[in-house]
Amino acid sequence: MPAPDDDWEILVTPPGGHDALPAADSWWWGVQGSRVLVGPGGAVPEGPSPSAIGLDSDRELSPVFLGRSAGRECWAVEIGRDVGVPDGFELGDLRALHPLLGERRWALAGRAVQLVDWMATHRFCGRCATPTEPSPGERARRCPACGLLAFPRLAPAVITLVERGDEALLAQGRNFGVPMYSCLAGFVEPGETLEEAVAREVREEVGVELADIAYQGSQPWPFPHSLMVGFRARWAGGDIAIDESEIADAAWFPVDALPMIPPGVSIARRLIDAWVAEHRP
């Protein structure tokens, strides 16, 4: 298995092309919905094919090439509900696997989940319903009848820590399920810049205006297929007025009295931690 901190290389096609067979020592990421097959210490099965690692099924499994880790090929394969998992392995929820896998391998597991889902939902052309096929040299499915190309869906979303002096504006979403507060977030609309999306989402959700919107970083977020783009911004005016359809509560919190905040897996926590580090002695 790759070491927890191994880097990995994203590749679109295996070294031998789309029709190449997996290498004999390939690592396999088994995916079932948002669950991933892992063993002790976050190990993944290795072998030349799904059947070689005990993932035989009555239905066809279409492996998806992910790239290379420590110089070895990495593949993803869908695990059907009717398929038993190999001895010593279990299906773990992707969100819960972050501490076990580490940042880079967790991102690779998320890539596996997203690409398996994309393959499953793009087997047929969305325009004419013809079965699709791989498009040589790129990560796409091509319709041989009408030529429509379908690329993996990626939905950019902005997430913003709004500050006012030594206070941060945090909100509790209606779908959180726990009394947790986080940064404000939302999807980018067609025709918007990222900065415009930040200002609009904050205005819509809590009613305040912003200044000095500044990019901080990004994070792949495979729930189900987002790219989170992190920002910080300064409060420029307005009182909190929440959108009750999305927000349960929002408030200004001083650095020494923060509520429950997101776990370390999320970019929201990184934005908050960076702000806290600047304001605490």
Side-chain angles (χ1 to χ4, degrees), residues 72-107:
R72 294 171 67 174
E73 293 180 10
C74 294
W75 295 77
V77 63
E78 183 182 11
I79 301 177
R81 302 285 177 181
D82 58 332
V83 179
V85 301
D87 291 342
F89 290 85
E90 62 181 6
L91 288 163
D93 180 76
L94 180 59
R95 289 179 186 268
L97 288 176
H98 184 266
L100 178 65
L101 296 178
E103 187 64 32
R104 295 299 286 166
R105 294 185 67 229
W106 186 81

Side-chain angles (χ1 to χ4, degrees), residues 96-175:
L97 288 176
H98 184 266
L100 178 65
L101 296 178
E103 187 64 32
R104 295 299 286 166
R105 294 185 67 229
W106 186 81
L108 179 55
R111 176 171 167 81
V113 167
Q114 291 178 86
L115 289 178
V116 165
D117 177 73
W118 169 67
M119 288 283 289
T121 55
H122 288 80
R123 292 173 179 168
F124 300 92
C125 176
R127 178 186 288 158
C128 69
T130 300
T132 60
E133 56 189 26
S135 179
E138 57 187 343
R139 180 74 71 186
R141 303 289 297 181
R142 181 183 179 276
C143 175
C146 71
L148 181 68
L149 283 174
F151 294 89
R153 180 180 176 187
L154 192 62
V158 293
I159 182 165
T160 310
L161 187 140
V162 181
E163 56 186 319
R164 185 180 67 179
D166 63 352
E167 296 179 313
L169 177 56
L170 303 176
Q172 181 183 3
R174 289 210 169 271
N175 61 350

Side-chain angles (χ1 to χ4, degrees), residues 51-65:
S51 60
I53 59 174
L55 293 178
D56 282 314
S57 175
D58 292 336
R59 64 196 183 112
E60 180 183 355
L61 297 173
S62 300
V64 183
F65 183 63

Side-chain angles (χ1 to χ4, degrees), residues 5-88:
D5 294 326
D6 272 350
D7 205 350
W8 58 281
E9 180 184 12
I10 290 178
L11 297 173
V12 172
T13 57
H18 274 296
D19 296 327
L21 296 175
D25 62 350
S26 294
W27 278 311
W28 291 88
W29 294 85
V31 173
Q32 187 180 89
S34 62
R35 298 193 297 169
V36 177
L37 187 68
V38 293
V44 296
E46 63 178 81
S49 67
S51 60
I53 59 174
L55 293 178
D56 282 314
S57 175
D58 292 336
R59 64 196 183 112
E60 180 183 355
L61 297 173
S62 300
V64 183
F65 183 63
L66 303 176
R68 286 190 293 225
S69 178
R72 294 171 67 174
E73 293 180 10
C74 294
W75 295 77
V77 63
E78 183 182 11
I79 301 177
R81 302 285 177 181
D82 58 332
V83 179
V85 301
D87 291 342

